[in-house]
Amino acid sequence: MSAPVLEVKGVTKAFGERQVLRGIDLTVGEHEAVALIGASGSGKSTLLRCIDLLEEIDDGDVFLDGEVITDPAVSPVAVRRRLGFVFQAYNLFPHMTALQNVMIGERHAHGARKAEAEERGRALMARFGLAGREDDRPDNLSGGQQQRVAIARAFAGKPRALLLDEVTSALDPELVGEVLAAVRDLKQAGMTMVIATHEMSFAREVADQVAFLHAGRILELGPPERVLEHPEREETRRFLGRLLAAGRI
Amino acid sequence: MTEAATIPASERRLEREAAKRRRSRRGAAIAALSSVLVIGGLAVLVLTSNGWPEVRETFFSWTEFKNAFGEVLSGFWLDVKVFMGVEVAVLVIALALALIRVSRSSGLFPLRLLSTVFVDVSRGIPTVLMVYLIGFGVPALQIVKPAPDPAILGAIALTISYSGYVSEVYRAGIRSVHRGQHDAALAVGLTHSQAMRLVILPQGIRRVAPPLLNDFISLQKDAALISIIGPVEAFRAAQIIQGENFNFTPLVAAALLYLAVTVPLARVVDRMGGTEGAVR
Ligand SMILES: Nc1ncnc2c1ncn2[C@@H]1O[C@H](COP(=O)(O)OP(=O)(O)O)[C@@H](O)[C@H]1O
Ligand SMILES: [Mg+2]
């Protein structure tokens, strides 16, 4: 097996008194997709944000392509340029068009020329089914379209890995499919991903591994068939049972 | 729209639209009538008062108006130059102050402290007092010789006063932009200052444009304050003529000139407000 793209080792994180991550270990290999599941408040978003250096960790380290990125000497900006992040609430820039949203990283973070960035931006939008919506403001797009713009924006910087934080949770049910299709497309293209999600059937379909996060620890980690169908831990069984009762599986 | 044309209107819909038209006609009639009553009543009250003939002569004399207007207008030109210059300076300085105050970097700590003190002090001193202090204090220091033009000193005083206010308006705008915007800007690989320039400021400033222009309305009137340290702007020019002829019409002329620049701006502010949801 080739060297891992992402390695999380013993990461802890507290917000004031509240200990959110209590020692996380996770390895994500090249072209691998890891689904992060767990109850609301279990720390999924915090873990993804720590990997993208949007939060400062307290202890442990994160490695990207074998290099430590959580060292104070490492420039967080340079690290974020090698990663992509898709937010639950899209977080598109409302004062820019969809195309400008997709281009902004290329233009201003990666120093591409305008024509080049625009060509790539248009191609990416077409790839995610957004041809014709280039000049629309995010407000004029549906939630599903907005999230696909956000995925294109994150992907435009040619990231080594994509971090997706419950990218379908803010969507109306009938719009979930189109966004999942975009993620499936990325998986097929070989993108390395960490996907926080509540969509268990989707996790089963695209994830190579499922990590169950509970109270700041990864309690269970393994192939989806094992973790989702034959969970070993009582907490995992209870969590899946609750989802089942709520009709989410 | 095109679809509506193809759907034949039902009885019910025609009825509803007719009722709506009746209601809006009635509304317009009531508005017109009440306006005539209120404005007419006020006019009658003023025009039939015992003092009106005298007031008309001392405040609204057409001959005095024509006589004084030229000088008041040339005084007003100084007001215009002062407030335009101050507006540009305030926009730039206030933005710098706001950016320093929202910065986190420890290297900027001394600047941040100075900015906070500056904003507190400049907002806390009455503008008229600031004009007085700068207008007489700076020449007394004798740093530059000859002493600078009092109109410039007045403009500096107004700049100091208004930069404090406007920087707080900017700061409110910056803080109103959702934290997720900053996260997203960093996530696409922008630096903190790029995030500020490309993502936070364009949104924040747009949001506070109405209150910011409101401060400029008030600034355009306050240009008259520089007269207390000497410059003959519109108010002072009018006052001089009034002193010679014992007639207040020149001051009314000055008032009309101030209105001519503040009312259009007020209408602009009105138009801008309420574009983002809210109560219309
Ligand atoms: N910026 C923050 N300040 C304080 N507490 C936070 C912050 N972000 C997250 N938390 C807390 O951390 C815990 C985990 O949150 P989160 O990572 O968002 O969980 P999940 O994404 O799994 O729902 C929650 O209890 C939340 O209240
Ligand atoms: Mg979350």
Side-chain angles (χ1 to χ4, degrees):
Chain A
M1 190 181 151
S2 59
V5 175
L6 275 172
E7 258 181 300
V8 179
K9 287 189 179 165
V11 164
T12 70
K13 170 73 184 172
F15 291 107
E17 294 287 284
R18 178 183 228 118
Q19 192 66 44
V20 177
L21 302 179
R22 299 169 188 265
I24 300 283
D25 293 290
L26 184 66
T27 303
V28 188
E30 182 102 58
H31 309 309
E32 203 177 31
V34 174
L36 214 48
I37 64 169
S40 182
S42 58
K44 302 182 294 295
S45 301
T46 304
L47 176 56
L48 293 178
R49 293 173 58 83
C50 285
I51 296 172
D52 205 26
L53 307 186
L54 295 172
E55 304 285 355
E56 219 173 299
I57 61 173
D58 297 330
D59 204 352
D61 269 309
V62 180
F63 299 81
L64 175 59
D65 284 327
E67 290 169 49
V68 64
I69 59 172
T70 40
D71 191 279
V74 175
S75 149
V77 174
V79 170
R80 290 189 204 108
R81 286 177 182 166
R82 292 155 62 194
L83 292 169
F85 200 108
V86 185
F87 298 86
Q88 181 171 353
Y90 333 133
N91 297 10
L92 292 179
F93 306 128
H95 59 301
M96 298 180 184
T97 64
L99 180 61
Q100 285 168 336
N101 266 278
V102 176
M103 285 166 57
I104 184 171
E106 282 276 274
R107 281 284 283 141
H108 297 279
H110 299 274
R113 277 183 295 108
K114 183 149 186 261
E116 207 179 297
E118 186 172 330
E119 192 184 310
R120 244 180 74 73
R122 284 181 190 284
L124 272 178
M125 286 190 69
R127 170 169 178 181
F128 294 111
L130 293 159
R133 309 316 298 256
E134 289 83 356
D135 298 326
D136 279 309
R137 301 269 157 170
D139 278 353
N140 295 333
L141 300 176
S142 74
Q145 290 168 329
Q146 289 190 53
Q147 194 59 296
R148 283 181 283 141
V149 172
I151 289 172
R153 177 177 72 177
F155 188 64
K158 305 191 180 85
R160 285 291 289 140
L162 267 184
L163 310 167
L164 295 94
D165 191 4
E166 297 199 36
V167 294
T168 57
S169 295
L171 296 173
D172 289 337
E174 86 269 19
L175 301 176
V176 168
E178 60 191 65
V179 171
L180 292 184
V183 179
R184 202 174 287 128
D185 168 20
L186 291 172
K187 170 65 180 160
Q188 269 152 17
M191 193 73 223
T192 305
M193 294 187 276
V194 184
I195 309 172
T197 185
H198 271 121
E199 304 282 341
M200 294 307 138
S201 56
F202 183 68
R204 187 175 300 134
E205 175 198 337
V206 299
D208 303 292
Q209 293 194 79
V210 171
F212 173 63
L213 201 58
H214 180 81
R217 287 197 180 83
I218 292 181
L219 284 194
E220 217 163 329
L221 176 70
E225 314 79 60
R226 222 231 350 95
V227 176
L228 297 177
E229 270 143 53
H230 309 288
E232 284 164 5
R233 300 286 298 240
E234 182 52 32
E235 292 88 344
T236 320
R237 275 197 287 273
R238 246 183 287 137
F239 169 70
L240 292 172
R242 276 205 307 277
L243 283 188
L244 195 60
R248 295 292 297 269
I249 300 183
Chain B
M1 279 286 97
T2 51
E3 208 173 321
T6 63
I7 301 173
S10 74
E11 282 287 306
R12 196 73 191 90
R13 175 172 170 173
L14 293 175
E15 221 174 87
R16 200 175 290 141
E17 280 171 358
K20 214 190 277 177
R21 270 197 302 277
R22 275 197 302 280
R23 206 172 333 139
S24 93
R25 266 205 305 273
R26 240 185 85 213
I30 290 173
L33 186 67
S34 58
S35 305
V36 167
L37 282 180
V38 170
I39 294 170
L42 282 174
V44 169
L45 196 69
V46 169
L47 297 177
T48 60
S49 66
N50 288 336
W52 172 245
E54 176 147 0
V55 167
R56 191 182 56 197
E57 203 33 55
T58 44
F59 283 85
F60 302 102
S61 151
W62 180 238
T63 359
E64 284 292 336
F65 186 89
K66 278 190 293 187
N67 180 26
F69 191 74
E71 263 175 68
V72 176
L73 182 64
S74 68
F76 190 66
W77 177 231
L78 178 60
D79 284 297
V80 172
K81 283 190 287 192
V82 165
F83 74 64
M84 299 236 284
V86 172
E87 279 168 1
V88 173
V90 164
L91 280 177
V92 176
I93 293 169
L95 180 59
L97 287 170
L99 287 175
I100 290 168
R101 289 197 69 191
V102 300
S103 72
R104 292 270 153 75
S105 109
S106 44
L108 287 178
F109 179 77
L111 266 181
R112 199 151 55 228
L113 188 71
L114 275 178
S115 306
T116 308
V117 171
F118 177 89
V119 169
D120 284 353
V121 170
S122 72
R123 284 193 306 166
I125 297 177
T127 310
V128 63
L129 198 53
M130 182 73 79
V131 171
Y132 213 83
L133 287 175
I134 301 279
F136 292 115
V138 171
L141 287 175
Q142 303 188 352
I143 297 170
V144 274
K145 279 189 180 174
D149 182 344
I152 297 208
L153 291 175
I156 291 173
L158 290 175
T159 305
I160 294 174
S161 252
Y162 275 85
S163 293
Y165 273 110
V166 174
S167 84
E168 286 302 283
V169 173
Y170 273 130
R171 202 158 69 100
I174 291 169
R175 294 170 58 127
S176 77
V177 178
H178 195 274
R179 185 187 126 147
Q181 290 290 304
H182 190 246
D183 286 341
L186 293 185
V188 296
L190 301 186
T191 64
H192 175 74
S193 55
Q194 283 179 320
M196 209 40 144
R197 182 165 52 84
L198 300 169
V199 175
I200 311 294
L201 283 180
Q203 296 181 58
I205 292 178
R206 212 165 298 186
R207 226 168 280 176
V208 294
L212 201 148
L213 291 182
N214 243 331
D215 281 349
F216 280 1
I217 292 177
S218 142
L219 166 66
Q220 296 184 350
K221 303 180 298 185
D222 277 357
L225 290 175
I226 67 166
S227 63
I228 64 161
I229 54 171
V232 182
E233 47 71 65
F235 167 62
R236 188 81 189 100
Q239 229 185 1
I240 290 169
I241 308 170
Q242 174 244 318
E244 288 164 356
N245 301 356
F246 303 104
N247 189 294
F248 289 91
T249 306
L251 291 165
V252 173
L256 289 176
L257 287 171
Y258 287 109
L259 284 175
V261 293
T262 52
V263 170
L265 197 48
R267 292 281 74 79
V268 170
V269 175
D270 265 9
R271 290 226 166 166
M272 289 171 111
T275 48
E276 267 173 50
V279 182
R280 303 215 171 199

